[in-house]
Structure formats: structure tokens, C-alpha cells
Amino acid sequence: MVVISSRQNPIVARYRAAAHGETDGVLLLDGAHLVDDALAAGVRIREAAVITTADEDDQLRSLIAALEATRVDVVVVTTAVMSALSPVRSSSPIVALADRPEAGSAAIYAGAAALVVIAIAVQDPGNLGAIVRVAEAGGATGVVAAGACADPFGWKALRGSMGSALRLPIAVVEDAGSAIDAARQAGCRIVATMPRDGQSLFDVRLVAPSAVLIGGEGHGLPRALLEAADARVTIPMAETVESLNAAVTAALLVYEARRQRTTSQQ
């Protein structure tokens, strides 16, 4: 097998474009975990690159065999080239380009008791990825990235989600108002989070279909969205603490909904 050793090879431009979000419909999978999750989720992988020492690792050998079994073109690259393909500081031994998953409202609001997290202007991709991860873990039916949100399929957010973004229905909506309107039309109660002066998390009912609004870092949710919500919820915390991280807030709401729904079925 030919080893690619030049950073001027066209493969470098393709991976860098995907890392920068410059290629429509294409996402960058960085690392064995994400590549393996993409295969398991049935995501179409277009191509992959592995480092020259990949044959020394049993996991990588197995992963390469699985890729080749699905007719994915796998190329071998030197350490220098891999450092150009992988955007992380300590480059991964395998990277791949894949089709971006698409999910419509029907998938996100599926079932009799939808639980959707609508992240509004969460600009840190790591935070957004963590929100997606906890949404899947806690049994939410989907996530909507609305307004000036980071890209949930950008490489940083994908790593933060630990593969959840490849399985959980996710939609990207430019206008937060449109995202909330869609949730209402699907029969969801709109629950907005705020750091102070809302109902306690432990007093808000989340058994019915619900869309939980999580505001971005710094300013949180706009006042207009807070006022238009069906319920405004605050997580009890010490007076000295100004607010919680967006992903932590999402985790507490999702798991409180899970607790209430599990209890109501007993």
C-alpha cells in the first residue's frame, strides 16, 4: 500500500476544509472512537486515513478491516501528514470524512412524550457536544441547535458528544423563534431555564412532552424568550454562584425529567 508522505497531497486540503466547516454535508471524524461509532450508527463514511503504525494496534487493525468491508477507501499516511489531517494537538492515529446525519422534526419529536433540548446561542462547541451527550444519556428524543450556536457536527462538538451526535436526532435552526414554534406545533410545553427567580427545578413538571431551552454562555436566554415560555425554571444554588455551565444545566433538567417520568410509570 502506498504511504502518503507529502503535506501537499490533496487529501490534506479535503480534511482541513472539513475541519473548518467549509464542505457542505461533510464532517470530520477524529479518532478511533468516533470512526467506530459512525460505523455502528450506519453513517456513510467517505474515506479514512490511518497512521503508518496502525498495523501494530489490534483495535485499529479491526477498525480498518471493518471500514474496508464497507468499501471505504483507507489510505496510510506518515506522522507529519496525520498531524495536518487531525486537528487535535496530539494527532489521532485515524481520521475519516463522513456524511453529515440529517434529522427532521418527526424524529426529534417522536413518541408520546418528547423531551427535546433546544440550545440557543451556545457558542462553545465543547459545551454543545456535552449537551448532546447528556441528552442521549438521559433519554431525550433530540437536540436543536438554534440561533448563534456552534455547529453540533463540527469536530470539537463531535468529540465533546463522544459519538452521541451520530445517533441522536439533531437539527440546526438559524432562528430560535422558529425552533420554539416547531416545538409548540409538536405539542411540547416550553420550559426556559434562568439562573434566578424561576420555579425550582424540583417543582416543575416535566412528564408531559417538553422542550427545554438552554441559553448560551454569559447572557443566557433573551428576555423575550423567557417571557414567552410556558414555565421558567431555576436550579437551586448557593448565593455566591452566579450561574451554571450550559451543559450542566441541561444535564440536571434532562435527568429530572427522566426521574419524573420513571416515577410516574411505577
Side-chain angles (χ1 to χ4, degrees):
M1 186 177 293
V2 176
V3 177
I4 296 174
S5 59
S6 172
R7 291 166 67 104
Q8 305 306 314
N9 190 285
I11 191 176
V12 174
R14 290 199 300 275
Y15 277 82
R16 284 183 170 174
H20 295 150
E22 297 170 354
T23 310
D24 290 342
V26 179
L27 54 82
L28 172 64
L29 303 171
D30 189 285
H33 181 92
L34 283 178
V35 175
D36 191 36
D37 280 350
L39 279 171
V43 174
R44 177 177 173 267
I45 298 178
R46 300 184 174 195
E47 60 180 285
V50 297
I51 203 162
T52 51
T53 56
D55 62 349
E56 300 172 7
D57 185 297
D58 291 342
Q59 180 190 15
L60 286 176
R61 282 203 307 271
S62 176
L63 188 52
I64 293 166
L67 288 167
E68 291 176 337
T70 57
R71 299 184 182 279
V72 176
D73 184 25
V74 181
V75 299
V76 178
V77 301
T78 62
T79 300
V81 173
M82 183 59 80
S83 68
L85 302 184
S86 174
V88 298
R89 182 172 298 178
S90 180
S91 58
S92 302
I94 182 169
V95 291
L97 299 181
D99 287 351
R100 184 183 179 111
E102 302 251 348
S105 294
I108 292 172
Y109 295 100
L115 176 60
V116 179
V117 178
I118 302 180
I120 299 174
V122 176
Q123 298 180 350
D124 184 287
N127 275 344
L128 185 58
I131 288 172
V132 173
R133 183 180 183 185
V134 76
E136 184 192 27
T141 54
V143 170
V144 178
C149 256
D151 180 3
F153 296 107
W155 70 268
K156 287 184 180 179
L158 277 174
R159 286 176 66 90
S161 80
M162 291 294 289
S164 290
L166 303 172
R167 297 182 293 266
L168 188 70
I170 298 174
V172 177
V173 180
E174 291 185 5
D175 178 64
S178 297
I180 294 169
D181 288 344
R184 286 195 189 281
Q185 290 171 10
C188 285
R189 185 167 178 253
I190 307 302
V191 180
T193 55
M194 55 193 301
R196 303 287 180 207
D197 303 323
Q199 263 187 293
S200 169
L201 165 66
F202 307 113
D203 296 330
V204 173
R205 296 293 291 163
L206 297 167
V207 176
S210 304
V212 177
L213 310 186
I214 304 294
E217 303 86 350
H219 299 294
L221 292 169
R223 178 166 295 278
L225 296 185
L226 289 170
E227 292 175 349
D230 300 309
R232 286 160 289 282
V233 60
T234 291
I235 297 166
M237 52 189 170
E239 293 281 340
T240 51
V241 178
E242 181 180 347
S243 63
L244 292 175
N245 170 275
V248 172
T249 300
L252 290 169
L253 265 293
V254 167
Y255 273 92
E256 175 60 16
R258 184 187 182 98
R259 184 194 68 78
Q260 291 183 19
R261 293 173 180 203
T262 301
T263 301
S264 70
Q265 293 173 357
Q266 294 176 350

